[in-house]
Amino acid sequence: MEHVDRCVVLVDAGYLLGAAASLLAGEPARSRITVDHAGLIQQLRQRAEAETALPLLRIYWFDGAPDRVPQPEHRRLRVMPRVTVRLGALTRSDGRWAQKGVDAAMHTELTELARNGACSDIVLVTGDGDLLPGLMSAKEHGVAVHLWAVQAADGDYNQSEDLVAEADERRVLDRTWITRAVRAKDLTGSCAPPPAPRPEIAAILSAPLPESALAASAERAAEAAAAAARNGASTPGPGDHGRLRPDGHAAGGERVDDGADPTPTTPGRGVPTPKDLAGLRGPASPGAATTPFAQGASALRWSSDRGWIERPAPSLGEPAETASLPTLAALTSAEQRWADREEDITTVGGDPFEVGQVFARRWMERLPEQNHVQKLSTLYPRIPHRIDGELLRYAARFGLLAHKDDQIDEHDRYAIRAGFWREIDVRTAAEHAPAPGAGPATP
């Protein structure tokens, strides 16, 4: 079969990025590096076309993901021109992550491309000797195989000798080439990368509660105190609000979570913990009543109207101020649902903060009555349970809530909910901004 004069690049992402991390950061953990994926793809394309003197057909990016759910980087990659992402499973065994099915997928793609005459040259970016049969098969079908290696750290050899011997051409991607799109994270002597400041999240956590929320909170507290007095129970004082007794219950009698999170920031996420954000709090505006920081942080971590200490008893049903708030599903037509999915697939990268913003934008744009936004603001910084559940299920589409060591990444939750509130705040401010050219209001 005659082969079309064009080239194809097959990339083993585990090898490319793991070897780059070893070279730049001293260990193969991909969490130790940051990657400009768009820049890296462009570099691969330019080099492949230059070395083969042929136009590129496609770049295949092979990687592993938990339960084969595309991660944010995969979502960005797969919508790039001339890029196809193939995912294998990512499993954890003996404390180490391992890819399953990636080698088999690369072998299949390599042999099928050669057998079908889809290209005349194939560039392989891998070091795995398991691909030797596929490489040999491609050569037998008349395809020239170019093998690319990543410069090894400290003189180590990171590629199968058999692959090197069998390849038609071999090139090394050196440190200079790698560092155009890959950087080692600055660990400043710590064992994990420090969280990058996120001022927008800090501002949300340190912002004062709306006056309406303070009034509603005081009213509910007064009702709870009156009920406690009728039942002969002791009434909690102002200093007892939210305090945990030794048995793990609040002074008012209800189980709460204080928002403490001893888990360090997940490498690569860059979302600070409440302790990190505490130092970023700015002074409150004069005369403004401020939200206790722990309460705001806890709300972004465990965001739900069910978490209020002074919430009504379960027998009273859902709080009235949240029962009338419509869910996004109820506001979305079938046509809009299709458009949402199209946007998710083609333009939403999957950053946790971005996911919260997109969800909030759609919810606000489809509200039939803007007084729902005012009702929502009275609950700040908590998100009503039904809407919060929708928000987290939406985030799950992007692989943000995949289990890591049997624990959901709470730092993603901070960012998802912070993005939600920031979009609400920005859009509300825009709606109330004076028209361009309008003079000051007359007293």
Side-chain angles (χ1 to χ4, degrees), residues 257-317:
D257 190 295
D258 64 355
D261 186 3
T263 308
T265 301
T266 302
R269 290 295 184 190
V271 180
T273 63
K275 183 181 292 185
D276 300 320
L277 293 172
L280 298 176
R281 293 187 64 189
S285 56
T290 58
T291 302
F293 180 80
Q295 179 182 347
S298 178
L300 282 181
R301 185 185 183 207
W302 305 110
S303 184
S304 168
D305 55 298
R306 293 183 177 182
W308 283 111
I309 293 173
E310 59 281 321
R311 72 185 183 218
S315 60
L316 299 180

Side-chain angles (χ1 to χ4, degrees), residues 21 118-119 137 157 201 274 290 292 312 324 333 363 382 386 391 421 423:
C119 58
S137 175
Y157 208 72
I201 299 178
T290 58
S324 62
S333 66
W363 186 76
R382 296 188 181 275
R386 290 174 300 125
L391 172 60
W421 280 114
E423 188 69 13

Side-chain angles (χ1 to χ4, degrees), residues 174-210:
D174 61 17
R175 180 187 294 268
T176 301
W177 191 92
I178 293 291
T179 52
R180 292 175 192 164
V182 183
R183 296 283 188 276
K185 291 181 179 176
D186 180 13
L187 303 185
T188 61
S190 65
C191 61
R198 294 289 293 268
E200 64 274 18
I201 299 178
I204 291 171
L205 291 179
S206 62
L209 270 175

Side-chain angles (χ1 to χ4, degrees), residues 75-96:
R75 298 183 65 87
R76 289 190 290 271
L77 283 163
R78 68 185 185 180
V79 297
M80 293 179 187
R82 303 280 179 162
V83 177
T84 295
V85 175
R86 296 279 189 261
L87 294 180
L90 192 63
T91 59
R92 194 170 180 83
S93 177
D94 298 327
R96 297 178 63 87

